[in-house]
Amino acid sequence: MSESSKPAFPSSLVLDPQLAADVAAVGRIGAVKTVLRLLLQATGLRLGVVTRVTAESWTCCAVLDEVNFGLHPGDTLEVATTY
């Protein structure tokens, strides 16, 4: 992937308390990792993410990253960078 086609690097700023609570809640659900693993196996993809989406941003709640894309739970991407 060329530098110009990569999405903007996610923000690691301090999360809003409600967003942080949502990320933590998803992190406590043991089945999420299993579902992401099955998703990757079924689709051949190498990146699976559970996100909390608003009109302005996507916040990663759970990530299975086999391509070292660099996303982690709590990272936020502006919606405008995801097209």
Side-chain angles (χ1 to χ4, degrees):
M1 183 179 287
S2 72
E3 289 299 315
S4 62
S5 63
K6 286 185 180 180
F9 198 77
S11 166
S12 294
L13 300 175
V14 175
L15 289 179
D16 168 272
Q18 183 58 54
L19 284 174
D22 291 347
V23 171
V26 171
R28 289 189 299 271
I29 302 170
V32 170
K33 286 184 181 182
T34 301
V35 170
L36 287 173
R37 171 71 52 212
L38 290 170
L39 173 72
L40 269 60
Q41 289 175 349
T43 63
L45 296 172
R46 295 178 54 210
L47 176 68
V49 184
V50 174
T51 62
R52 183 179 188 276
V53 180
T54 67
E56 295 82 30
S57 66
W58 295 44
T59 301
C60 300
C61 295
V63 180
L64 180 55
D65 183 0
E66 296 179 346
V67 294
N68 297 320
F69 191 72
L71 290 175
H72 304 282
D75 286 347
T76 299
L77 295 168
E78 291 182 25
V79 168
T81 68
T82 63
Y83 306 157

